[in-house]
């Protein structure tokens, strides 16, 4: 046809011209536009009536045809649309919601006829079609079943099982679209027939169905599921793999290879005819649907194929249990070689089986509204299943009450993608009971019960979802990443490996309770808590640690609660920012190593607590910064190790750490304490409970800087603790002090308020304190002819008070006699005989003397020349 489109821009004044209609703008030839042409056709057929059709030419046309006017006459021409709209009168089908028996039967008859006639689309006229509960609608292969906006409604019944639409085994290339499917949930008879009545389905996809599309449907009010896909594993040989021997098999020629790290089946295993002739594949399944098999440690194996004469045909390396294993041409037998060195020894066999898994494959459920079913929204069983852009909600009434339940089929459930859906208001969220290679992403979840990745699952990816007022329980192998959570929770439990990364926890919580150490990595998450938090209970901690130690790194906990229940050492906290707020049970931290962490405790109203309800705990802090932090270790049981190394402490608190007792070691090494106490009577920076701190093996304070702005502070009490190895050396104290009187204390190279070891500068030989052999004290007032100081030539306690008979002594008085030093336990009057014991206590008149040590002896050294 010669035609043109009228110019839309005038050449004269450069203005656009907008035609009123397309028919005015489009020309069918140089002079006539489409509007004029259509007007002529309308005039030609103005007085046309169907009775005018005469002498129709039916030559060369089968049943499928259209009546058309061509070249001055009527004739039937082939229908090339491939779409058939149901003729209600012809097929005696009611679209008024009546006559279920005939409606189901005649609909199925029409569908079969349309399929036989080559139609690939079957369209229902608008209306309501009542479906017989005993006769579901059967969709033929390679057919689009277009409901045309109509409704299929199951007839009220009391059956335990029914389905409105059934896609039968071995069907393929089917689409169901554009309408409503309604169940009888609220009018169902649950009483007459006993049972759970959880098997009333909207659409059922059976067994070996492939390439099934379900879209643009509103499916609701079913006693069971809106959509159910069903697997049927055909087990052909339940004892095929009970006989094994050491070694592997050459995958290039099928010859046996001696190898101690592998095992192989020691005979040929015949493949079933169905696998070879009907389906072209088989599966190796463990213990029926479930495990890998008894005494089978590896899920990976090689498959070697042979022909009927035992000749090598081909091989497949690193296949896995439940995989579809395609059969090469000519193969009738196989052998397996597993990647493990231990031979199975169970007398009941391995329980490995050879089967053909007849499960749906390539099923697409898209853009549907699935709701108000009793059991589940969707039960996806099979391989390569896609659930996207649906709305699934209000699922409850029968167990499990799940949005999506991936369960039946177990290890056969593989490669499932669930994305861009809206899930809400249901008893249970999503349940992955047994599956692998699942991708759950871009979904919006709100007001759901717990979603679970059960222990048998592997490689479940949960990414980039919005999760509101819902929860996840991770037990099997899972990656939980990029999710945004509001008033929700995640639990990392059991023994599966979990990577929990790059999530946003807004008033939400993460709980760790693993059976195996270091199987969870919590990385680069952001936790935030504000006044919109809906719970103040103890279970609302933003980070809660229990069970075995795990790794937590590069996270930000901003205004967050943390609490620890774990009684095991080894937790790893690396490069975390922790702005901690009070919890109802206080704030406890897990025993382990903290590297590069920032603790902001300005909002806490109580100290951080160590977990010390049993012995053996170890806490190590390195390269950490503490803002307004206090630590407290209770007296229930002592720790084995507490170490602060290369940390910075900035605080207006009156102390930094306070603990009751230690079994092992306390070490403060190369830290900087910047204190500015707000109290007029501050405590020690490092505070120990005198009456209980008796079990420590070593206390080391080395290379630290202690600074107090404003009030002077004492670093720690040094004089009252019988610690075998007590060292305070190489420290710098600015506006801070120490009391060095302790016989077990080693003081060395401490710079205190600009003076090195000022406690060793004296004006006379000391008369109190404990001194070690060769310890030197410097003279405070050096003069020509005098001495540099005094040196201790006999280790012991210094005192200038000698014992006297019949003398009154106060409790705590320290005396010497014959080179031995004693302390009065009580006040009283001495007798006529001096004490002579060298251990323990003895009475002297009214006084009881405790032996302390030998008497320290000093001599001047370093004569200064005149």
């Amino acid at each position: 046809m010669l035609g043109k489109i009228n110019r839309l821009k005038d050449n004269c004044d450069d203005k656009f011209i907008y035609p009123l209609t397309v028919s005015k703008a489009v020309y069918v030839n140089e002079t006539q536009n489409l509007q004029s042409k259509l007007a002529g056709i309308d005039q030609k057929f103005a007085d046309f009536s169907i009775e005018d059709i005469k002498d129709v030419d039916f030559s060369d046309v089968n049943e499928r045809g259209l009546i058309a006017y061509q070249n001055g006459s009527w004739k039937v021409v082939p229908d090339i649309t491939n779409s058939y709209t149901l003729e209600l009168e012809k097929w005696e089908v009611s679209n008024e919601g009546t006559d279920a028996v005939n409606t189901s039967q005649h609909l199925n008859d029409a569908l079969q006829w349309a399929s036989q006639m080559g139609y690939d689309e079957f369209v229902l006229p608008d209306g309501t079609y009542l479906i017989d509960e005993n006769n579901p609608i059967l969709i033929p292969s390679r057919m689009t079943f277009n409901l045309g906006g109509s409704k299929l409604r199951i007839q009220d019944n009391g059956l335990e099982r029914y389905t409105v639409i059934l896609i039968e085994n071995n069907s393929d290339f089917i689409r169901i679209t554009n309408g409503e499917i309604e169940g009888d949930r609220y009018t169902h008879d649950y009483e007459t027939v006993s049972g759970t009545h959880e098997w009333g389905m909207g659409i059922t996809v059976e067994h070996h169905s492939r390439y099934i599309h379900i879209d643009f449907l509103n499916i609701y009010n079913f006693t069971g599921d809106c959509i159910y896909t069903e697997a049927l594993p055909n087990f052909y040989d339940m004892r095929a793999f009970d006989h094994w021997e050491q070694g592997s098999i050459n995958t290039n020629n099928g010859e046996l290879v001696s190898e101690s790290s592998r095992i192989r089946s020691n005979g040929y295993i015949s493949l079933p005819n169905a696998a070879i002739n009907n389906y072209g594949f088989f599966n190796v399944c463990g213990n029926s649907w479930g495990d890998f098999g008894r005494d089978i440690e590896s899920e990976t194996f090689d498959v070697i194929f042979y022909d009927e004469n035992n000749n090598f045909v081909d091989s497949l390396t690193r296949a896995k249990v439940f995989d579809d294993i395609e059969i090469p041409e000519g193969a009738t037998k196989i052998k397996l070689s597993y990647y493990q060195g231990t031979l199975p020894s169970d007398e009941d066999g391995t329980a490995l089986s050879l089967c053909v898994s007849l499960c749906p494959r390539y099923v697409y459920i898209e853009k549907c509204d699935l709701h108000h079913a009793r059991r589940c929204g969707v039960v996806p069983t099979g391989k390569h299943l896609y659930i996207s852009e649906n709305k699934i909600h209000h699922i409850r009434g029968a167990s499990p009450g799940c949005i999506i339940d991936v369960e039946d089929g177990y290890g056969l459930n593989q490669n499932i993608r669930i994305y861009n859906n809206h899930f809400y208001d249901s008893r249970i969220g999503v349940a992955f009971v047994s599956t692998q290679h699942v991708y759950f992403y871009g979904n919006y979840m709100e007001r759901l019960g717990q979603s679970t990745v059960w222990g048998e699952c592997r490689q479940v990816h949960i990414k980039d979802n919005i999760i509101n007022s819902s929860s996840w329980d991770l037990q099997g192998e899972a990656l939980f990443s990029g999710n945004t959570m509001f008033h929700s929770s995640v639990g990392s439990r059991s023994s599966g490996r979990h990577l929990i990364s790059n999530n946003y926890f807004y008033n939400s919580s993460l709980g760790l309770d693993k059976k195996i150490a270091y199987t969870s990595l919590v990385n680069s998450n952001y936790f935030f808590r504000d006044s919109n938090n809906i719970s103040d209970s103890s279970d609302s901690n933003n980070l809660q640690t229990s069970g075995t130690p795990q790794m937590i790194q590069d996270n930000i906990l901003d205004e967050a609660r943390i609490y620890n229940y774990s009684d095991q050492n080894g937790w790893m906290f690396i490069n975390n920012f922790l702005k901690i707020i009070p919890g109802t049970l206080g704030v406890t931290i897990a025993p382990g190593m903290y590297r590069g962490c920032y603790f902001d405790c300005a909002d806490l109203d109580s100290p951080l607590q160590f977990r010390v309800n049993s012995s053996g705990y170890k806490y190590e802090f390195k390269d950490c910064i503490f803002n307004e932090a206090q630590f407290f270790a209770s007296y229930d049981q002592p720790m084995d190790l507490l170490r602060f190394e290369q940390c910075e402490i900035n605080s207006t608190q009156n102390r930094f750490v306070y603990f009751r007792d230690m079994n092992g070691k306390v070490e403060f090494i190369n830290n900087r304490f910047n204190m500015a106490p707000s109290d007029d009577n501050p405590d020690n920076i490092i505070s120990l409970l005198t009456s209980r701190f008796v079990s420590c093996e070593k206390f080391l304070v080395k290379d630290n800087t202690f600074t107090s702005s404003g009030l002077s502070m004492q670093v720690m009490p040094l004089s009252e603790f019988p610690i075998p190895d007590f060292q305070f050396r190489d420290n710098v104290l600015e506006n801070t002090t120490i009391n060095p009187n302790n016989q077990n204390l080693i003081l060395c190279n401490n710079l205190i308020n600009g003076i090195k070891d000022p406690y060793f500068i004296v004006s006379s030989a000391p008369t109190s304190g404990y001194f070690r052999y060769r310890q030197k004290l410097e003279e405070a007032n050096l003069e020509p002819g005098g001495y540099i100081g005094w040196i201790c030539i006999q280790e012991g306690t210094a005192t200038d008070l000698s014992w006297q008979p019949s003398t009154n002594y106060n409790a705590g008085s320290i005396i010497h006699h014959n080179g031995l030093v004693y302390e009065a336990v009580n006040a009283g009057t001495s007798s006529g005989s001096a004490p002579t014991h060298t251990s323990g206590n003895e009475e002297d008149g009214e006084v009881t003397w405790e032996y302390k040590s030998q008497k320290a002896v000093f001599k001047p050294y370093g004569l200064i020349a005149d």
Side-chain angles (χ1 to χ4, degrees):
M1 177 186 293
L2 178 62
K4 64 180 182 180
I5 298 178
N6 193 30
R7 289 176 302 181
L8 298 180
K9 195 171 186 181
D10 191 287
N11 288 335
C12 297
D13 54 9
D14 200 32
K15 293 182 179 178
F16 286 98
I17 299 171
Y18 298 95
L20 295 177
T21 63
V22 173
S23 61
K24 284 185 178 181
V26 176
Y27 279 68
V28 298
N29 55 48
E30 288 292 335
T31 61
Q32 187 180 22
N33 63 15
L34 181 59
Q35 185 184 50
S36 174
K37 180 72 173 180
L38 293 174
I41 295 174
D42 290 344
Q43 181 63 38
K44 184 175 181 178
F45 288 94
D47 299 325
F48 172 77
S49 173
I50 194 67
E51 285 79 10
D52 295 335
I53 301 176
K54 299 177 181 178
D55 301 324
V56 179
D57 181 5
F58 287 98
S59 62
D60 301 324
V61 178
N62 58 23
E63 288 185 63
R64 286 190 54 186
L66 299 173
I67 298 176
Y69 187 79
Q70 291 183 350
N71 301 322
S73 65
W74 293 97
K75 62 184 302 183
V76 177
V77 297
D79 179 6
I80 60 174
T81 63
N82 282 336
S83 178
Y84 174 73
T85 299
L86 177 68
E87 300 166 272
L88 296 173
E89 292 185 5
K90 174 182 176 180
W91 293 100
E92 298 181 351
V93 172
S94 169
N95 66 343
E96 297 179 352
T98 61
D99 195 6
V101 173
N102 285 321
T103 297
S104 289
Q105 184 59 54
H106 295 164
L107 260 178
N108 282 327
D109 292 342
L111 279 162
Q112 292 303 315
W113 171 85
S115 176
Q116 294 166 6
M117 297 305 300
Y119 288 104
D120 57 20
E121 182 181 34
F122 187 98
V123 183
L124 292 180
D126 190 21
T128 299
Y129 298 81
L130 193 63
I131 306 303
D132 181 6
E133 67 274 21
N134 295 300
N135 190 8
I137 304 304
L138 308 176
I139 313 300
S141 292
R142 300 182 180 272
M143 176 68 74
T144 292
F145 184 48
N146 187 341
L147 277 68
S150 62
K151 177 196 292 187
L152 304 184
R153 208 286 188 183
I154 195 72
Q155 179 172 250
D156 292 347
N157 65 88
L159 297 182
E160 264 241 280
R161 291 175 176 264
Y162 67 77
T163 187
V164 175
I165 295 178
L166 175 62
I167 298 176
E168 295 182 291
N169 183 27
N170 288 323
S171 299
D172 57 14
F173 299 104
I174 291 174
R175 181 185 181 196
I176 306 171
T177 187
N178 189 23
E180 295 187 13
I181 305 174
E182 183 182 3
D184 67 334
R185 170 181 181 167
Y186 297 106
T187 53
H188 187 81
D189 176 8
Y190 296 96
E191 303 296 331
T192 303
V193 177
S194 62
T196 61
H197 291 261
E198 59 178 290
W199 296 96
M201 310 301 182
I203 298 176
T204 298
V205 182
E206 277 189 340
H207 312 160
H208 194 52
S209 299
R210 290 148 296 161
Y211 302 104
I212 310 300
H213 288 252
I214 301 170
D215 59 14
F216 296 104
L217 294 173
N218 181 13
I219 307 176
Y220 56 98
N221 288 354
F222 281 91
T223 60
D225 311 331
C226 294
I227 300 173
Y228 175 69
T229 63
E230 182 178 41
L232 178 65
N234 290 332
F235 295 101
Y236 290 95
D237 195 340
M238 296 294 289
R239 301 193 65 89
F241 307 108
D242 283 352
H243 306 288
W244 300 87
E245 62 188 11
Q246 210 79 46
S248 62
I249 304 174
N250 190 313
T251 55
N252 295 317
N253 55 29
E255 295 181 357
L256 304 183
V257 178
S258 177
E259 188 173 351
S260 61
S261 62
R262 301 281 294 277
I263 62 172
R264 62 180 178 238
S265 52
N266 63 2
Y268 296 102
I269 301 164
S270 296
L271 296 173
N273 289 331
I276 299 173
N277 300 324
N278 298 341
Y279 301 106
F281 73 92
F282 68 93
N283 312 92
V284 174
C285 296
N287 191 15
S288 183
W289 297 75
D291 300 330
F292 298 158
R294 289 190 291 266
D295 289 341
I296 298 297
E297 303 164 358
S298 172
E299 62 176 311
T300 307
F301 52 88
D302 296 338
V303 186
I304 295 83
F305 297 91
Y306 303 88
D307 64 16
E308 60 183 7
N309 296 316
N310 301 336
N311 296 312
F312 173 77
V313 174
D314 202 350
S315 66
L316 177 65
T317 60
R318 294 191 175 276
K320 295 183 181 296
V321 179
F322 309 115
D323 281 356
D324 290 347
I325 301 172
E326 294 185 353
I327 303 171
E329 185 175 352
T332 62
K333 304 174 183 179
I334 61 168
K335 284 187 176 182
L336 300 187
S337 174
Y338 261 85
Y339 286 78
Q340 69 177 63
T342 305
L343 285 167
S345 58
D346 196 301
E347 61 183 13
D348 293 327
T350 63
L352 285 173
S353 56
L354 186 68
C355 78
V356 176
S357 62
L358 302 183
C359 62
R361 290 165 170 82
Y362 302 102
V363 177
Y364 301 81
I365 302 171
E366 302 172 329
K367 299 178 176 65
C368 292
D369 188 1
L370 312 176
H371 57 98
H372 290 91
R374 291 175 67 240
R375 195 178 76 158
C376 297
V378 180
V379 176
T381 301
K383 299 186 177 185
H384 302 286
L385 311 178
Y386 302 83
I387 302 172
S388 66
E389 301 181 53
N390 302 286
K391 184 167 67 171
I392 308 179
H393 54 101
H394 293 93
I395 309 297
R396 56 171 56 91
S399 182
C402 226
I403 290 286
I404 294 176
D405 183 16
V406 184
E407 182 170 354
D408 295 340
Y410 291 84
L412 300 175
N413 297 320
Q414 299 180 16
N415 300 302
I416 300 174
R417 285 165 171 77
I418 303 169
Y419 57 96
N420 297 346
N421 301 282
H422 184 193
F423 303 142
Y424 62 96
D425 290 332
S426 293
R427 177 177 175 269
I428 300 293
V430 178
F432 298 121
V433 177
S434 181
T435 183
Q436 57 185 318
H437 309 303
V438 174
Y439 299 87
F440 185 93
Y441 58 93
N443 302 289
Y444 181 40
M445 310 173 69
E446 57 179 334
R447 298 185 301 277
L448 297 175
Q450 182 170 279
S451 296
T452 304
V453 178
W454 291 92
E456 293 184 5
C457 296
R458 290 175 296 153
Q459 299 180 29
V460 177
H461 299 249
I462 304 168
K463 296 184 63 177
D464 302 327
N465 303 284
I466 297 176
I467 304 168
N468 186 10
S469 301
S470 304
S471 64
W472 276 93
D473 180 21
L474 309 179
Q475 299 182 35
E477 184 182 66
L479 183 152
F480 192 89
S481 176
N483 302 289
T484 301
M485 305 184 64
F486 302 94
H487 308 291
S488 298
S489 64
V490 178
S492 175
R493 302 192 303 127
S494 193
S495 55
R497 294 193 175 275
H498 301 153
L499 172 59
I500 302 171
S501 67
N502 294 290
N503 302 288
Y504 178 68
F505 289 82
Y506 176 79
N507 290 332
S508 298
S509 64
L510 170 63
L512 302 173
D513 189 7
K514 301 300 293 295
K515 295 180 179 179
I516 301 176
Y518 309 120
T519 53
S520 287
L521 171 60
V522 180
N523 179 64
S524 300
N525 300 283
Y526 184 88
F527 296 79
F528 179 72
R529 185 187 188 99
D530 65 8
S531 59
N532 290 319
N533 189 64
I534 58 176
S535 175
D536 290 324
S537 63
S538 60
D539 62 356
S540 65
N541 299 303
N542 299 97
L543 178 62
Q544 185 165 295
T545 50
S546 302
T548 59
Q550 307 301 321
M551 294 189 65
I552 302 171
Q553 69 179 44
D554 298 322
N555 301 281
I556 296 175
L557 284 83
D558 189 1
E559 302 283 348
R561 286 181 177 177
I562 63 173
Y563 198 82
N564 172 65
Y565 289 97
S566 175
D567 59 0
Q568 298 191 37
N569 283 312
W571 288 83
M572 302 286 290
F573 284 77
I574 302 171
N575 297 334
N576 299 287
F577 175 89
L578 304 142
K579 184 175 176 58
I580 308 171
I581 61 175
T584 55
L585 297 178
V587 179
T588 63
I589 60 175
M593 181 174 291
Y594 295 76
R595 294 289 180 92
C597 294
Y598 186 100
F599 291 81
D600 187 344
C601 304
D603 294 331
L604 282 183
D605 53 9
S606 61
L608 295 172
Q609 297 187 43
F610 301 108
R611 173 75 172 181
V612 287
N613 65 343
S614 62
S615 61
Y617 290 125
K618 298 178 181 180
Y619 286 86
E620 300 178 65
F621 301 89
K622 187 173 183 179
D623 299 317
C624 295
I625 297 176
F626 299 92
N627 181 49
E628 300 294 349
Q630 288 191 77
F631 283 95
F632 172 67
S634 68
Y635 53 80
D636 296 339
Q637 289 290 340
M639 293 181 285
D640 275 2
L641 175 65
L642 175 61
R643 177 185 292 130
F644 292 88
E645 183 176 0
Q646 296 177 200
C647 296
E648 179 179 332
I649 296 92
N650 303 303
S651 178
T652 60
Q653 306 294 321
N654 295 317
R655 62 189 173 200
F656 173 62
V657 63
Y658 172 49
F659 46 97
R660 304 291 181 95
D661 207 348
M662 287 288 297
N663 270 346
K665 302 175 182 178
V666 180
E667 296 180 354
F668 291 87
I669 303 172
N670 198 22
N671 304 288
R672 182 169 184 85
F673 293 81
N674 301 309
M675 308 297 292
S678 58
D679 198 298
D680 291 337
N681 186 27
D683 200 348
N684 295 280
I685 297 174
I686 302 169
S687 183
L688 317 178
L689 182 63
T690 304
S691 62
R692 295 191 59 90
F693 203 83
V694 295
S695 303
C696 184
E697 298 173 3
K698 178 180 180 179
F699 206 117
L700 174 63
V701 184
K702 181 179 182 295
D703 293 322
N704 302 282
T705 298
F706 298 90
T707 301
S708 177
S709 300
L711 293 173
S712 176
M713 296 185 71
Q714 182 163 292
V715 172
M716 62 181 297
L718 301 178
S719 60
E720 302 168 347
F721 305 100
I723 301 170
D725 186 356
F726 198 172
Q727 302 181 40
F728 191 96
R729 55 192 175 90
D730 303 311
N731 302 287
V732 176
L733 282 68
E734 300 173 356
N735 198 29
T736 54
T737 61
I738 57 171
N739 181 357
N741 189 10
N742 188 319
Q743 71 180 54
N744 297 305
L745 176 65
I746 296 176
L747 288 167
C748 179
N749 296 328
N750 297 294
L751 188 65
I752 302 178
N753 298 318
I755 303 174
K756 180 182 177 183
D757 294 331
Y759 35 79
F760 292 148
I761 300 176
V762 295
S763 57
S764 61
T767 57
S768 63
Y770 188 91
F771 296 89
R772 297 178 183 275
Y773 175 66
R774 299 182 67 89
Q775 188 169 337
K776 295 179 180 180
L777 292 88
E778 297 183 7
E779 168 63 53
N781 302 302
L782 297 176
E783 296 178 347
Y787 290 91
I788 294 175
W790 289 265
I791 184 169
C792 181
I793 62 172
Q794 171 63 59
E795 180 175 341
T797 303
T799 179
D800 61 350
L801 182 64
S802 62
W803 177 87
Q804 298 295 326
S806 304
T807 302
N808 292 324
Y809 290 99
N810 296 322
S813 298
I814 297 178
I815 56 93
H816 68 87
H817 181 74
N818 288 339
L820 304 177
V821 177
Y822 304 92
E823 181 176 358
V825 176
N826 61 293
T829 303
S830 62
S831 68
S833 300
T836 59
H837 60 286
T838 57
S839 64
N841 299 342
E842 285 191 7
E843 293 183 357
D844 170 23
E846 297 174 351
V847 183
T848 299
W849 296 105
E850 178 187 13
Y851 174 76
K852 291 186 68 67
S853 68
Q854 291 184 316
K855 182 179 182 295
V857 177
F858 294 90
K859 296 295 182 180
Y861 77 94
L863 179 64
I864 302 173
D866 289 334

